[in-house]
Amino acid sequence: MTADHKHTTRLPDADVVLIGAGIMSATLSSILTQLDPDLRILVLEKSTDIAGESSEAWNNAGTGHSGYCELNYMPDPADGSKPRQIAEQFHLTRQWWSHLTRQGLLDPTDFIHATPHMNLVFGHDDVAYLRRRVNTLHADPLFAEMEYTEDPDTIARWAPLTMEGQVDDGEPIAAARHLRGTDVDFGALTQALLTIGSTEVITGHTVTGIDREAEQWSITGSSSMGSFTVRAGTVFVGAGGFALRLLQKAKIPEVRGYAVLPVGAAFYRCSTPSVVARHDAKVYGQADVGAPPMSVPHLDRRIVDGEEHLMFGPYATFSTKLLKHGRLSDFFTTVRPDNLHVIAAAGLQNLGLVSFLVKKLAASPTRKFAQLRRFFPLARRKEWTLLPAGQRAQLVKPDPKKIGVLQQGTELVVSADGSIAGLIGASPGASTAVPIMFDLLEQAFPAQWHSRWKSQIAEAVPDLDRTDWTAEAVARSHTDTEAALGLSPVSCE
């Protein structure tokens, strides 16, 4: 018998095992503990910290994605379907947080703050695009309160730092704003959600194997104390960039041909109080032609651990790691005979993107800071620090016509019998976590969902199946959630 076998720890069986202590697992845990407090839920986290990867505050932009300002979600200014979908999803997410807050299970001051969401664009083409985008969205009650201006003085009132020092060369400029935006500390929220109910979180435990044995899954791995094993009826893989690798180990056919590509980023951060106090918005611009979806420049007000900061980015970085604290071999462990051609096809179809990323990676610090000065002309280098952010795994899917395509956003993958699922991909996953987990519950626990769980959820999330998004319904829902979460949108000038 080997030494590893001698030190294998058999953990008590669980009803549900969640792999990864990030926002996705935390959200699912918070829902399950409310629906069935008797379930034994176990979270296994490889790090010694909770929310240490993509959910950690400085590993993401902290934007509560509502479709208000993310121009990359609406490349066609006449088609507002994607922003609407994201707005609905984040609205349901906020209703769930409101429900937990009313029960005294969350303190919203720890993780969410009202922060206007804004766009700022330059040049005839982008101004025309933004004008059309706002006109399209105005017809939707979810966006009816959006404001638009081409007046520099108005923009200066909305976001003073962006206009001070701008050269008046006759170039058109425009801005749009929605006052109901939010800044979210997903790290603090993750930690709070995992304290709800009797969920057990074990850190320092790396899952290395997932195997089907009769009616259960056997999850194996290692820790500083040796190897471990645990059995569970249902498994959710919320392991960020590692999710695909673990689903491949589980040998479920639903991920055959799927692949991921590592995507890294860095941000500039300023914590000078006199500067931070003069900017109260998340200001998103238009991405450069050929840029990947996650590279839209934005100047954000952030509140982390009660302290206010400004953040600007992202700047592309490169690594073959799939987690910030992962290994350089991470990407290669996900390459399989069934997805190699998919990766190659996606790469060949996106040579322009590859060229763009190479140029951005080679940009000097001076050129990087020049991008910041487009949004804050009087920014001083000594007040800003370049920080590495989290690693993401961009989803690559098999396609019947193109063989392989890069997919924006996240995708929930569920096995045919519903016993194992995982989330693959990147933004805006955290903001849409609650409706994603509702979809998971319906597929993994269909009997419970249709017999009682859906009705329980509907009491907590009144707009779960809403289709009549009238102005009155939107206003009422906003009032209810903002009252529960203590959010007071800035009043219009």
Side-chain angles (χ1 to χ4, degrees), residues 26 36 49 114 145 150 176 195 210 231 253 277 306 349 352-353 362 452 458:
D36 189 346
D49 300 316
E145 296 177 319
E150 295 177 21
T195 65
I210 307 176
R231 295 179 185 275
Q349 294 165 41
L353 172 59
R452 62 183 189 280

Side-chain angles (χ1 to χ4, degrees), residues 295-466:
S295 66
V296 177
H298 47 97
L299 177 64
D300 294 0
R301 171 180 178 258
R302 299 294 312 276
I303 298 179
V304 179
D305 295 330
E307 299 291 331
E308 298 184 358
H309 310 265
L310 296 187
M311 183 174 79
F312 179 82
Y315 298 94
T317 62
F318 177 75
S319 173
T320 51
K321 295 180 180 180
L322 292 174
L323 294 174
K324 185 175 182 178
H325 303 292
R327 298 180 178 181
L328 293 175
S329 60
D330 288 349
F331 164 69
F332 303 102
T333 64
T334 66
V335 177
R336 299 285 191 276
D338 62 68
N339 67 14
L340 187 57
H341 64 295
V342 175
I343 297 171
L348 289 172
Q349 294 165 41
N350 292 275
L351 292 177
L353 172 59
V354 174
S355 175
F356 175 88
L357 291 174
V358 170
K359 291 178 181 178
K360 289 298 181 181
L361 289 169
S364 67
T366 299
R367 295 190 68 177
K368 283 184 169 70
F369 203 75
Q371 297 175 47
L372 166 57
R373 284 193 169 137
R374 183 63 160 154
F375 288 79
F376 181 7
L378 300 183
R380 294 186 291 184
R381 281 282 295 272
K382 66 180 182 180
E383 295 177 331
W384 294 81
T385 303
L386 190 63
L387 301 174
Q391 282 288 113
R392 301 292 189 271
Q394 181 78 42
L395 177 60
V396 182
K397 290 183 59 176
D399 182 88
K401 295 182 179 180
K402 297 183 178 180
I403 304 178
V405 293
L406 284 172
Q407 177 169 306
Q408 180 180 334
T410 53
E411 179 160 335
L412 179 68
V413 178
V414 184
S415 65
D417 64 358
S419 65
I420 186 169
L423 194 73
I424 310 174
S427 178
S431 299
T432 58
V434 169
I436 289 173
M437 292 304 110
F438 291 163
D439 289 344
L440 168 61
L441 292 177
E442 183 174 8
Q443 295 181 63
F445 301 92
Q448 296 94 319
W449 177 261
H450 292 290
S451 65
R452 62 183 189 280
W453 283 4
K454 185 177 181 179
S455 60
Q456 289 177 249
I457 290 293
E459 293 180 6
V461 182
D463 293 328
L464 180 64
D465 287 323
R466 179 178 292 280

Side-chain angles (χ1 to χ4, degrees), residues 11 22 61 64 100 105 121 127 179 183 211 218 302 311 318 337 351 365 404-405 411 449 451:
L11 301 175
L100 296 177
L105 299 174
V121 299
V127 168
L179 296 173
D183 174 66
D211 298 287
S218 175
R302 299 294 312 276
M311 183 174 79
F318 177 75
L351 292 177
V405 293
E411 179 160 335
W449 177 261
S451 65

Side-chain angles (χ1 to χ4, degrees), residues 21 118 158 393:
M118 180 174 158
W158 290 0

